[in-house]
Amino acid sequence: MLVNERLVQKINQMAENFNISVDIHIEAKCPLNRNIGGKYNAGEQSITLYLEEIQAQSEWLFPNEDVFVEYASVIFAHEAGHATDPYLQKLVELYDSTEDEFKRKKIELLVEVQAWKIAKELVQELPDEFFSKIKRISLEHHYEAVSQGFKDEGVA
């Protein structure tokens, strides 16, 4: 079975097992010219995975390991975490109504942490070290932004 067929099968299985009702799209490259492996669109109720970015990320984080399907599964699980997050809409509303940039960064971090929390439940069969490494790298810039905000406010 080809890698992309295995990926589609895995994602469909995850969506079915966890009753995730969103449209799932797989594209070659992110049109935003950003290094993101996936995106959840709340308005369209869709998840899009970007294969080139996922491939590049998996090769960077796990060189010389053939983990593309597993890595893509984690990315899908994270986006599914957004799609199934019961607090996402309230957090988005809070974000949109907040002008304070530091508070917005904290809300962004909360949105991402919540999606990762849900994602872990979707990929329990994967090794914790594998999942945690992807999560840590993904959240790194959010933690740095919040940390910088504390410094700017003289808290840290």
Side-chain angles (χ1 to χ4, degrees):
M1 184 181 312
L2 297 174
V3 171
N4 287 353
E5 289 174 353
R6 284 188 10 233
L7 174 60
V8 169
Q9 183 179 39
K10 176 69 175 168
I11 288 171
N12 286 336
Q13 178 185 17
M14 289 171 67
E16 183 179 320
N17 288 348
F18 293 97
N19 198 25
I20 300 167
S21 57
V22 297
D23 291 331
I24 302 167
H25 308 283
I26 298 178
E27 296 182 8
K29 185 163 182 56
C30 178
L32 305 173
N33 205 20
R34 293 173 47 204
N35 188 25
I36 59 172
K39 178 158 181 51
Y40 169 62
N41 184 318
E44 295 178 6
Q45 287 293 297
S46 67
I47 293 173
T48 305
L49 297 180
Y50 304 108
L51 298 182
E52 286 183 25
E53 285 77 5
I54 290 171
Q55 184 68 43
Q57 291 171 12
S58 67
E59 289 173 358
W60 175 68
L61 280 177
F62 303 98
N64 304 317
E65 296 183 45
D66 183 19
V67 295
F68 174 78
V69 172
E70 294 81 2
Y71 190 95
S73 298
V74 171
I75 300 303
F76 175 76
H78 173 74
E79 300 308 330
H82 286 305
T84 59
D85 181 353
Y87 305 107
L88 181 63
Q89 186 57 41
K90 293 279 187 204
L91 289 169
V92 168
E93 290 170 9
L94 181 60
Y95 180 90
D96 289 343
S97 68
T98 302
E99 292 184 22
D100 182 283
E101 198 57 37
F102 180 45
K103 288 180 183 175
R104 291 173 75 115
K105 289 182 187 324
K106 290 191 288 186
I107 295 167
E108 287 175 2
L109 175 60
L110 185 56
V111 166
E112 292 303 313
V113 166
Q114 182 68 10
W116 281 113
K117 180 179 173 185
I118 295 167
K120 180 60 180 155
E121 298 300 313
L122 302 179
V123 291
Q124 291 180 13
E125 76 281 1
L126 293 176
D128 284 340
E129 305 80 33
F130 181 80
F131 179 85
S132 295
K133 185 174 185 177
I134 299 167
K135 174 184 167 185
R136 179 178 51 80
I137 295 298
S138 173
L139 290 174
E140 202 168 64
H141 82 275
H142 292 287
Y143 281 120
E144 289 173 2
V146 169
S147 177
Q148 184 60 48
F150 278 119
K151 290 176 184 173
D152 293 344
E153 293 205 351
V155 176

